[in-house]
Amino acid sequence: MPLTGIIVISTIILVLAYRFYGRIISIRLEIDDKNPTPAHTKRDNVDYMPGKMPVVLGHHFASIAGAGPIVGPIIAVAFGWIPALLWILVGGIFFGAVHDITSMMASIRHQGKSIGEVIERYIGISGKNLFMTFAFATLILIIAVFVDIVAKTFVSVPSAASASLMFMVLALIFGWVMTKSNIPFWLLSTVGVIFMYGLVYLGTIWPLHFDYFTWVLILLVYCFLAAIAPVWILLQPRDYLNSFLLYGMMLLGIIGIFVANPTVEMTTEVHMHVDNLGYIFPVLFVTIACGAISGFHSLVASGTTSKQLDRETDARRIGFGGMLIESLLAVVSVGTVIVLSREDYQVSLSALGPVTLYSNGLGSFISSIGIPISLAISFVALTVSAFAVTTLDTCTRLGRFVFQEYFSKGATPFAEVLGSNRYIATAIVAVLSVSLLLTGQFQELWPVFGSANQLLAAIALLAVTVWLYKTGKNPLFTLIPMIFMFIVTLTSLFIFAWNNFSTNSYILGVVATLLFILSVSLIVLARKSLRNALNMTGSTDESIM
């Protein structure tokens, strides 16, 4: 079977899904440009500021993508490439894209606040406090891990460090010119992208050498400055330009696949159990998060993106469409390894790791169009590492938002300061993240992240389902994915807790147990809220409960 057939069929399915199912969801959500977005009603030119649709899409896509749709799908192919591909397509369309656009629209309809605000309004303050604490702890963990990843990458690949820093300078110039001048946007974008690709080459000429702890300190300062700066200065232009790295990588890779025309060598056999992973259910659905459905997306959609949408109809292009682009990236990731036999895949994955395996695979495809293979592999690796930096500072800003929202209705002057001062909130987020990094505890906690991430998705779907139901809309299109994701999450957490207690890994066992209790608690609170609403209206319709 030629790989090109899989790419073509998957692309057609995703395009048709955006065209038809995306339109159906938009109608169900009553998306209308007559409704002003928070970017206009609460504009402060710091966090709330309308951006051009391609710019906000670039920010959103750069923030949600990263290495997630590469690492997860490649590892999950161990269960068989057919179930991995099916979950990417089905999950991306009916779970992930729905999750992302509904999270975004719920935030837009609540003044750009996070999912936590939606939970407070429709489920209760206890539910909000549970969610916000969980979300904040998750973000601290993600920041710590990505600081570690980026610092180690910059030490081992100095060219990526210098290119990344030059990207920042280019983004600052691009953002200033975009905001202050009347240069046509298409012309400015063209020049910016050309310069950006030029900086990739310059990075190989002028590598930047610092030790690990110096990079940690630099990244700490960077996270603080990036999270407090107005979005037009760095976040919007940097993510917009960076997105063209990923677009370019995907486009060159797909063209390379068509030119090389490789065949699928891996068999269609499905493996119900894989050593070191577990059973296909629930592990497949936890391993492939980005590319199918990822709870982290709800934090981005309701955190930074919802504050930048110029029009409500942009939510379909950015939320629904952005998720499907990520699904296509996940399909390409699967394609880079199924051209190997299962034996070669297992050996290569063990020896190289998923990112290097992906870089080598896609680099070989790109080399078929005449680009030297060493340059192609380096470009793919640099693109993946560049998005780790994007995720890093986006998470810091999101951590600030969550922290400030938690204390925004504080009853004491101290709480009011914490809820209103972005400098203090950002400093706390940055310091806690780096403190976790330096203690080394993040390495013990990271294995539970996959389950925690999918728990975020289940909770976000729970929140929007209750919101839709209480505002008179049929929530079936979010209810079904919500039920499935809770089943996946609870099963995964139960198995994870059991396995870790059995091996005396008490920290991970306790964390998994607490997350299991959190899931059940939020379900109970939501059910209670819906029952109260039904009792107040005198309704007898209990189908959603």
Side-chain angles (χ1 to χ4, degrees):
M1 177 189 298
L3 180 59
T4 52
I6 295 175
I7 299 296
V8 169
I9 293 173
S10 299
T11 302
I12 291 173
I13 290 173
L14 293 172
V15 170
L16 291 176
Y18 174 80
R19 174 68 179 84
F20 295 104
Y21 194 55
R23 184 171 182 272
I24 291 173
I25 299 301
S26 296
I27 293 173
R28 293 286 182 88
L29 294 173
E30 299 178 358
I31 293 177
D32 192 338
D33 284 339
K34 293 180 181 179
N35 302 322
T37 63
H40 292 282
T41 59
K42 298 190 66 177
R43 180 169 183 167
D44 59 9
N45 290 338
V46 176
D47 298 318
Y48 292 84
M49 181 177 178
K52 297 180 184 296
M53 194 284 296
V55 174
V56 182
L57 173 61
H59 155 69
H60 184 76
F61 184 50
S63 297
I64 66 173
I70 295 170
V71 174
I74 287 178
I75 293 175
V77 165
F79 291 106
W81 68 268
I82 290 180
L85 184 64
L86 287 175
W87 172 235
I88 289 168
L89 294 176
V90 174
I93 294 168
F94 298 103
F95 290 69
V98 170
H99 165 272
D100 290 12
I101 191 175
T102 53
S103 298
M104 193 178 296
M105 285 306 303
S107 176
I108 289 172
R109 297 284 170 78
H110 294 84
Q111 299 182 318
K113 298 294 185 179
S114 73
I115 291 297
E117 186 74 16
V118 179
I119 291 176
E120 178 182 7
R121 182 167 179 178
Y122 297 99
I123 297 178
I125 187 65
S126 297
K128 175 193 175 181
N129 290 338
L130 286 172
F131 173 79
M132 298 295 267
T133 302
F134 167 53
F136 184 75
T138 301
L139 288 168
I140 294 297
L141 175 60
I142 295 173
I143 295 167
V145 170
F146 273 82
V147 168
D148 180 67
I149 291 173
V150 173
K152 288 179 178 176
T153 300
F154 285 175
V155 170
S156 60
V157 189
S159 60
S162 53
S164 296
L165 291 181
M166 287 188 285
F167 287 168
M168 304 303 173
V169 177
L170 176 62
L172 292 171
I173 297 172
F174 185 91
W176 188 88
V177 174
M178 179 177 65
T179 306
K180 305 297 182 180
S181 74
N182 295 320
I183 298 177
F185 184 67
W186 67 268
L187 178 59
L188 181 62
S189 297
T190 302
V191 173
V193 171
I194 292 173
F195 270 97
M196 181 189 63
Y197 276 97
L199 295 179
V200 174
Y201 175 72
L202 288 179
T204 63
I205 298 177
W206 298 322
L208 195 57
H209 298 272
F210 288 121
D211 61 45
Y212 173 80
F213 288 103
T214 301
W215 278 122
V216 169
L217 180 60
I218 291 173
L219 290 169
L220 171 64
V221 175
Y222 165 73
C223 287
F224 177 82
L225 295 176
I228 63 173
V231 291
W232 65 269
I233 289 180
L234 182 61
L235 184 139
Q236 285 184 349
R238 192 279 315 281
D239 291 357
Y240 173 63
L241 290 175
N242 265 7
S243 67
F244 281 94
L245 280 175
L246 198 49
Y247 298 150
M249 180 187 72
M250 291 175 61
L251 180 61
L252 290 174
I254 291 173
I255 293 174
I257 289 172
F258 276 85
V259 173
N261 195 28
T263 57
V264 176
E265 298 295 335
M266 192 174 292
T267 65
T268 58
E269 184 179 0
V270 177
H271 298 264
M272 302 305 294
H273 182 271
V274 175
D275 292 340
N276 301 322
L277 286 178
Y279 290 94
I280 192 170
F281 183 88
V283 177
L284 174 71
F285 306 96
V286 174
T287 304
I288 300 181
C290 292
I293 178 172
S294 168
F296 175 69
H297 293 194
S298 67
L299 298 181
V300 177
S302 68
T304 55
T305 307
S306 63
K307 297 174 174 62
Q308 301 175 60
L309 260 66
D310 185 33
R311 303 178 302 172
E312 279 199 353
T313 51
D314 288 346
R316 178 184 171 191
R317 302 181 181 94
I318 296 168
F320 203 93
M323 178 64 228
L324 297 187
I325 296 174
E326 186 180 86
S327 295
L328 180 59
L329 175 58
V331 171
V332 173
S333 299
V334 170
T336 62
V337 295
I338 62 176
V339 294
L340 304 172
S341 67
R342 181 171 179 83
E343 292 72 21
D344 289 342
Y345 156 77
Q346 291 174 323
V347 171
S348 299
L349 181 61
S350 177
L352 302 175
V355 173
T356 302
L357 180 57
Y358 171 80
S359 300
N360 290 348
L362 195 66
S364 66
F365 294 151
I366 295 175
S367 68
S368 65
I369 61 179
I371 297 175
I373 188 168
S374 59
L375 178 60
I377 292 174
S378 297
F379 168 67
V380 174
L382 175 62
T383 299
V384 175
S385 66
F387 280 86
V389 180
T390 301
T391 303
L392 179 60
D393 61 61
T394 297
C395 283
T396 306
R397 188 178 289 260
L398 290 171
R400 168 167 74 84
F401 289 156
V402 171
F403 186 88
Q404 288 186 274
E405 278 191 34
Y406 187 87
F407 289 101
S408 61
K409 299 176 182 178
T412 66
F414 179 70
E416 290 180 4
V417 170
L418 293 178
S420 61
N421 191 305
R422 72 178 190 271
Y423 301 100
I424 294 177
T426 305
I428 290 173
V429 171
V431 170
L432 286 177
S433 301
V434 173
S435 297
L436 177 61
L437 168 64
L438 296 179
T439 62
Q441 294 300 310
F442 75 96
Q443 294 174 329
E444 294 186 35
L445 296 174
W446 185 248
V448 79
F449 173 72
S451 299
N453 182 53
Q454 298 306 66
L455 174 57
L456 271 175
I459 294 172
L461 287 168
L462 172 66
V464 297
T465 297
V466 176
W467 163 58
L468 291 170
Y469 187 77
K470 286 195 171 184
T471 53
K473 300 179 181 66
N474 187 338
L476 191 61
F477 63 98
T478 59
L479 178 64
I480 294 175
M482 179 203 79
I483 293 173
F484 181 79
M485 292 311 299
F486 267 119
I487 292 174
V488 166
T489 300
L490 293 174
T491 304
S492 175
L493 288 172
F494 178 81
I495 294 173
F496 194 84
W498 179 272
N499 289 340
N500 279 280
F501 280 127
S502 300
T503 57
N504 299 324
S505 299
Y506 295 112
I507 293 178
L508 287 177
V510 169
V511 171
T513 302
L514 291 175
L515 292 178
F516 187 97
I517 294 171
L518 169 65
S519 301
V520 175
S521 299
L522 285 170
I523 293 171
V524 171
L525 288 171
R527 193 168 187 270
K528 180 180 178 181
S529 174
L530 288 173
R531 281 190 177 277
N532 290 339
L534 291 172
N535 290 336
M536 290 178 64
T537 59
S539 172
T540 59
D541 179 15
E542 299 187 1
S543 58
I544 197 173
M545 300 186 294

